[in-house]
Amino acid sequence: MPNHHHHLHTPLRPPSVAASSASQSLTSKVLLLLTLLPLTLAAMAFALQWRGGLTDPTTRWAPPGSDKLFPGMDPSPHSSAAAVSHSSSSSDDCLKLGRSASPSFPYFHDWKFDLGSNLKPKICITTSTSAGLNQILPWMFYHKVLGVSTFFLFVEGKAASPKVSKVLESIPGVKVIYRTRELEEKQAKSRIWNETWLSSFFYKPCNYELFVKQSLNMEMAIVMARDAGMDWILHLDTDELIHPAGAREYSLRQLLLDVPGSVDMVIFPNYESSVEREDIKEPFTEVSMFKRNYDHLPKDTYFGMYKESTRGNPNYFLTYGNGKSVARIQDHLRPNGAHRWHNYMKTPKEIKLEEAAVLHYTYAKFSDLTSRRDRCGCKPTREDVKRCFMLEFDRSAFIIASTATEEEMMNWYREHIVWGDKDLKMKLLRKGILTRIYAPMTIIQGLHESGVFNSIIASAEATLSKQKFLSTINSSNTSRAVASESLPSRKMGRLRNNQAAVRKVLEDTESASIQEAAVPPLSPPASDGDHFIIEAY
């Protein structure tokens, strides 16, 4: 080997070829320089891009029709590797959200997503929420990635606190509406409160009261959406994410762009989260397994696997199973409960999507048991919980949370909610009852890592001086505390001056007979031997 190596180099040394050797040496150096120069420039560009010094053209929205517009389109389990959650021991929303400043998610201009009129059609989401920033911001910006431009947030509780609301108000395209005495007085005079189709939900606590609030808020959101020039409106809770499967892009905008002009409303069947651990902290980035809706399954599979799918629970889904709908903004539009829309002047034309779904993250955290208990003042008895909850599983969960010890609650949670049986999981995954969906967790994890949420919080706080910020907090707390004291447990519409007037219409039986009742949250079809039934509330 050494002799061979010497043989390769000896022709370069004789004096007879010195000129040739010098020429080749110069050529080699030029080639080496030409090779190293672009590599060096590329390395510098990469370093600057990583530190935020350059704008990569890939940070622009890809054109319509691009394949795999967003990460996570590949259903392979390997795509979940980037979606490993970063659990935090801090309970502070701001600390949880401001995790990293590395811009690893390239599919936005900047954190504002202020795309204005560039998006067609214009889509808005309305919600009624009491959640904190750690839930609202990932939920909101995930849907901004999907093409939603405007949000109407009806807030109370934690969401209405100055710390949270000031951040929300600073985001372009977000309208924050507080539940004040003035708002309730206005809604007590609204059209749907004076009609009968929602009347069976009036004057009942907890979930019934929330259902009425949602419907009244949706009625107001329609007016705001029309004024804002929106094309579509969707009511969505902050524990629900749209999964626009079947579109040419992973985009709600593209999905609705392909809907025929004659269609008034589009129904998204819902999938339900199926958690695999009892210590989930952030469902959006830790849950990838979902139970598919009845509408997306062959009937023989659904009913053939019904018993194994329910695992002793009252129904196939823990909570509702009748999906959510998005409505085209048009004359005479009205809500029809929190799950549907309707029209005063015609029977709307609806279509139900065959692939797209609403991902409902229900009871995804153990703390969801106690949060429901703390929100409702019902007695933990079989009879009394019917006043609070429309669905049977909610009733059972409330009783357990109200009567059991912490250890007993955890055991119940593991038995009824956590999917710990690996053999059963694999069987139901093979049958298509359960499915893996990675796109949402990948997108939201990318948003976390990009520092988007940290930027939002920092930007909102920068708009106020420390003194002004503190005075605003004190002022807001005082005013909202007064409003809260005056209406501590007020049921919708119980204003003394208006009560007789607003309920007078209920005596009009002719009017009541022609108004279609609101669509409540419904459980999926239940197995009853060789037949099936759809459970109401």
Side-chain angles (χ1 to χ4, degrees):
M1 179 62 72
N3 292 335
H4 177 64
H5 179 75
H6 177 74
H7 174 71
L8 289 175
H9 289 80
T10 50
L12 299 176
R13 296 174 181 173
S16 60
V17 290
S20 175
S21 174
S23 176
Q24 290 185 17
S25 177
L26 178 61
T27 303
S28 298
K29 289 178 180 179
V30 171
L31 290 175
L32 180 61
L33 178 63
L34 292 175
T35 301
L36 291 178
L37 182 60
L39 291 175
T40 303
L41 292 174
M44 291 175 62
F46 177 80
L48 289 172
Q49 168 66 16
W50 185 256
R51 294 174 180 271
L54 289 177
T55 300
D56 188 338
T58 62
T59 60
R60 302 291 181 184
W61 290 95
S66 298
D67 292 333
K68 295 185 179 180
L69 182 60
F70 299 109
M73 291 292 286
D74 188 348
S76 167
H78 300 296
S79 64
S80 65
V84 177
S85 72
H86 298 265
S87 61
S88 171
S89 59
S90 171
S91 60
D92 186 89
D93 286 344
C94 300
L95 292 178
K96 280 185 178 181
L97 292 164
R99 288 175 173 159
S100 170
S102 58
S104 59
F105 188 76
Y107 298 99
F108 51 86
H109 294 283
D110 54 28
W111 67 263
K112 294 182 179 181
F113 285 82
D114 195 10
L115 301 178
S117 60
N118 294 336
L119 293 180
K120 297 290 184 180
K122 292 185 177 181
I123 308 166
C124 66
I125 290 179
T126 180
T127 191
S128 303
T129 183
S130 59
L133 290 177
N134 62 319
Q135 181 169 326
I136 296 176
L137 291 183
W139 170 85
M140 179 187 296
F141 277 81
Y142 169 81
H143 289 105
K144 280 180 173 283
V145 169
L146 266 57
V148 177
S149 61
T150 305
F151 296 81
F152 301 114
L153 307 181
F154 291 82
V155 298
E156 52 187 308
K158 191 174 185 179
S161 67
K163 179 180 177 182
V164 175
S165 61
K166 289 300 177 186
V167 174
L168 298 176
E169 289 175 345
S170 72
I171 303 172
V174 175
K175 172 68 175 176
V176 179
I177 306 98
Y178 300 94
R179 179 147 292 280
T180 60
R181 175 182 287 276
E182 291 73 24
L183 177 67
E184 293 195 346
E185 288 176 345
K186 183 176 181 179
Q187 290 185 338
K189 300 174 184 177
S190 71
R191 178 169 180 172
I192 65 175
W193 180 257
N194 285 274
E195 295 174 334
T196 59
W197 56 270
L198 196 60
S199 60
S200 63
F201 299 88
F202 292 159
Y203 306 128
K204 294 180 181 179
C206 202
N207 277 16
Y208 288 91
E209 183 178 2
L210 174 61
F211 190 77
V212 173
K213 283 181 181 179
Q214 289 173 328
S215 300
L216 292 168
N217 293 342
M218 290 163 70
E219 182 183 39
M220 294 186 69
I222 292 172
V223 177
M224 291 187 285
R226 183 187 292 275
D227 291 344
M230 296 292 108
D231 299 306
W232 293 92
I233 185 169
L234 169 66
H235 174 258
L236 210 62
D237 296 328
T238 52
D239 64 350
E240 298 171 328
L241 300 178
I242 289 292
H243 175 53
R248 287 177 291 166
E249 303 170 2
Y250 195 77
S251 162
L252 178 61
R253 180 196 63 80
Q254 185 62 58
L255 196 68
L256 295 178
L257 194 63
D258 294 337
V259 172
S262 60
V263 172
D264 302 303
M265 294 163 201
V266 180
I267 298 174
F268 289 76
N270 64 293
Y271 288 12
E272 192 172 79
S273 61
S274 300
V275 300
E276 300 170 82
R277 308 192 324 268
E278 67 272 14
D279 61 345
I280 298 292
K281 301 300 181 186
E282 297 182 1
F284 292 157
T285 56
E286 296 183 64
V287 177
S288 65
M289 190 169 76
F290 297 86
K291 187 183 286 188
R292 297 176 70 199
N293 194 283
Y294 165 79
D295 289 319
H296 287 179
L297 288 169
K299 289 184 179 180
D300 58 345
T301 300
Y302 177 85
F303 291 110
M305 303 296 296
Y306 187 87
K307 185 176 181 179
E308 291 173 285
S309 300
T310 58
R311 300 184 303 156
N313 288 323
N315 203 272
Y316 174 79
F317 276 161
L318 302 181
T319 52
Y320 79 89
N322 55 329
K324 292 287 182 78
S325 71
V326 57
R328 195 186 298 273
I329 300 294
Q330 55 186 290
D331 292 340
H332 312 297
L333 180 66
R334 73 160 170 86
N336 196 28
H339 293 256
R340 292 291 187 273
W341 306 86
H342 199 58
N343 193 292
Y344 282 111
M345 301 304 293
K346 67 177 181 178
T347 300
K349 181 178 180 181
E350 293 183 339
I351 61 171
K352 186 173 291 186
L353 297 177
E354 296 180 355
E355 296 181 66
V358 170
L359 305 180
H360 185 202
Y361 295 77
T362 185
Y363 289 99
K365 298 183 294 183
F366 175 68
S367 61
D368 289 344
L369 280 180
T370 53
S371 66
R372 282 170 171 79
R373 175 197 66 193
D374 297 340
R375 287 201 308 265
C376 299
C378 288
K379 298 176 182 178
T381 64
R382 280 291 167 191
E383 286 304 315
D384 203 55
V385 292
K386 291 180 181 178
R387 296 189 306 113
C388 282
F389 302 100
M390 305 178 201
L391 300 173
E392 185 59 35
F393 188 86
D394 286 332
R395 298 167 182 168
S396 299
F398 179 82
I399 291 174
I400 288 295
S402 302
T403 60
T405 65
E406 188 81 7
E407 183 179 358
E408 289 170 338
M409 277 194 290
M410 179 59 75
N411 290 335
W412 188 90
Y413 187 82
R414 290 190 184 112
E415 179 182 354
H416 292 270
I417 298 175
V418 177
W419 287 79
D421 188 332
K422 293 183 179 179
D423 292 336
L424 179 59
K425 277 194 300 187
M426 290 304 300
K427 182 177 182 179
L428 296 182
L429 282 166
R430 285 194 297 266
K431 292 288 186 178
I433 298 287
L434 297 176
T435 186
R436 295 283 182 184
I437 299 175
Y438 296 103
M441 67 190 306
T442 305
I443 290 173
I444 292 176
Q445 188 63 40
L447 289 166
H448 271 294
E449 294 174 355
S450 71
V452 166
F453 307 126
N454 191 50
S455 298
I456 296 166
I457 294 166
S459 177
E461 292 181 349
T463 60
L464 295 171
S465 66
K466 183 177 181 181
Q467 182 178 2
K468 185 177 180 181
F469 188 66
L470 292 175
S471 65
T472 302
I473 290 177
N474 293 333
S475 174
S476 299
N477 282 342
T478 302
S479 62
R480 290 172 195 169
V482 171
S484 178
E485 281 183 23
S486 64
L487 299 168
S489 59
R490 181 179 174 276
K491 306 310 175 187
M492 290 303 307
R494 292 192 178 183
L495 296 171
R496 295 180 182 177
N497 295 336
N498 296 323
Q499 186 171 4
V502 298
R503 300 306 334 131
K504 183 177 180 181
V505 70
L506 292 180
E507 300 172 4
D508 188 348
T509 56
E510 181 180 357
S511 175
S513 66
I514 61 173
Q515 291 188 5
E516 181 180 345
V519 176
L522 297 173
S523 294
S527 178
D528 183 21
D530 296 330
H531 305 88
F532 70 91
I533 56 175
I534 297 179
E535 294 185 359
Y537 57 96

